Amino acid sequence: MIAILYRVEEDEKEYMKYYIDALENAGAKDIDFVDSDMLESKVDKVLNSASGLLITGYSDPTWLDIYMVEHAVKYNKPLFAICQGIQDMGIYSKEPVESVVNHMHLDKKHEKVHFVNISRNSILYNIIGETRIGVNSCHNNMVLFNKSWDVVGVSDDGVVEAMENSEHMFQIGVQWHPEMLMDDCSKKLFAEFVRVCHNLEK
């Protein structure tokens, strides 16, 4: 089962369908949800049953954002952290997160608006097979370079766009929204995440 961080804010509920569709199209067999209004005991029940965790974007972080990163790290579970999720990874490891300009293009959420350069020596590269990809961009903040996670994707203007735990099969954070782009690289990311989660269930 894959656990998704469900954003409860009224203006963000519509975006959840993108994540669900992306997972189901990648072959996800079982999906459950956690949200910041749930009791911690209920959250624990879902997360403990999950083989992988997906942190969604489009929100300010709640207690649950960091809790999910902590759970994935503690129990060595697959983690796919998108937009706010990659910033959560930085916050969890006590790395600074600062504002960024010219990266909020909400009106073009389905379009590629800038490039990300991917390190060849990364799990992310092994998944998508590209060293330079076009991505969409809908964020006002960025995590700074840090030593806690491996920075494996950077935009041309120096913004961290992808981080990973290179010693894990899939603990990856991306700053863009692959669930809305759903190009070939996006599909490969979701397919690999689902594959790793399902293999752990066997």
Side-chain angles (χ1 to χ4, degrees):
M1 184 264 288
I2 295 173
I4 304 179
L5 174 51
Y6 191 94
R7 302 292 183 182
V8 297
E9 292 83 350
E10 190 65 35
D11 60 342
E12 295 177 359
K13 290 181 180 179
E14 63 179 285
Y15 294 114
M16 296 307 302
K17 188 176 187 302
Y18 291 105
Y19 299 101
I20 297 168
D21 288 348
L23 287 171
E24 290 182 342
N25 289 335
K29 299 174 183 177
D30 190 13
I31 298 171
D32 205 347
F33 305 91
V34 290
D35 67 63
S36 58
D37 289 344
M38 292 170 62
L39 293 175
E40 187 174 318
S41 59
K42 187 174 181 181
V43 169
D44 284 338
K45 184 176 181 180
V46 175
L47 296 187
N48 290 335
S49 300
S51 57
L53 281 58
L54 173 64
I55 300 180
T56 57
Y58 281 105
S59 184
D60 293 327
T62 67
W63 68 272
L64 186 52
D65 286 66
I66 312 307
Y67 196 74
M68 289 182 72
V69 177
E70 182 179 32
H71 181 92
V73 171
K74 181 177 181 179
Y75 296 104
N76 202 35
K77 291 186 177 182
L79 172 68
F80 195 5
I82 295 173
C83 193
Q84 177 60 51
I86 190 176
Q87 296 167 34
D88 295 336
M89 292 167 68
I91 294 169
Y92 163 77
S93 55
K94 295 180 171 54
E95 305 290 350
V97 174
E98 294 188 353
S99 60
V100 63
V101 296
N102 299 325
H103 277 253
M104 176 53 78
H105 302 280
L106 191 56
D107 58 326
K108 298 180 179 180
K109 56 184 177 288
H110 300 288
E111 302 175 28
K112 298 177 181 180
V113 296
H114 70 76
F115 289 95
V116 173
N117 303 294
I118 308 296
S119 170
R120 284 185 179 274
N121 185 29
S122 68
I123 293 171
L124 181 59
Y125 172 78
N126 291 339
I127 295 170
I128 64 177
E130 302 284 345
T131 58
R132 185 170 168 84
I133 62 173
V135 300
N136 52 12
S137 188
C138 303
H139 62 104
N140 288 315
N141 297 305
M142 63 178 178
V143 62
L144 299 185
F145 286 91
N146 66 86
K147 298 179 181 178
S148 302
W149 303 89
D150 298 301
V151 175
V152 296
V154 181
S155 63
D156 289 343
D157 58 351
V159 173
V160 173
E161 293 277 345
M163 300 192 307
E164 68 182 29
N165 174 1
S166 296
E167 297 181 356
H168 193 279
M169 293 176 292
F170 199 114
Q171 286 185 346
I172 297 174
V174 298
Q175 187 61 77
W176 66 94
H177 282 268
E179 80 286 354
M180 290 185 174
L181 204 54
M182 288 312 290
D183 59 350
D184 188 52
C185 290
S186 302
K187 292 176 182 177
K188 288 179 179 178
L189 272 171
F190 277 100
E192 180 63 10
F193 175 62
V194 170
R195 185 192 71 79
V196 170
C197 292
H198 283 176
N199 282 349
L200 291 177
E201 294 174 351
K202 294 179 180 178

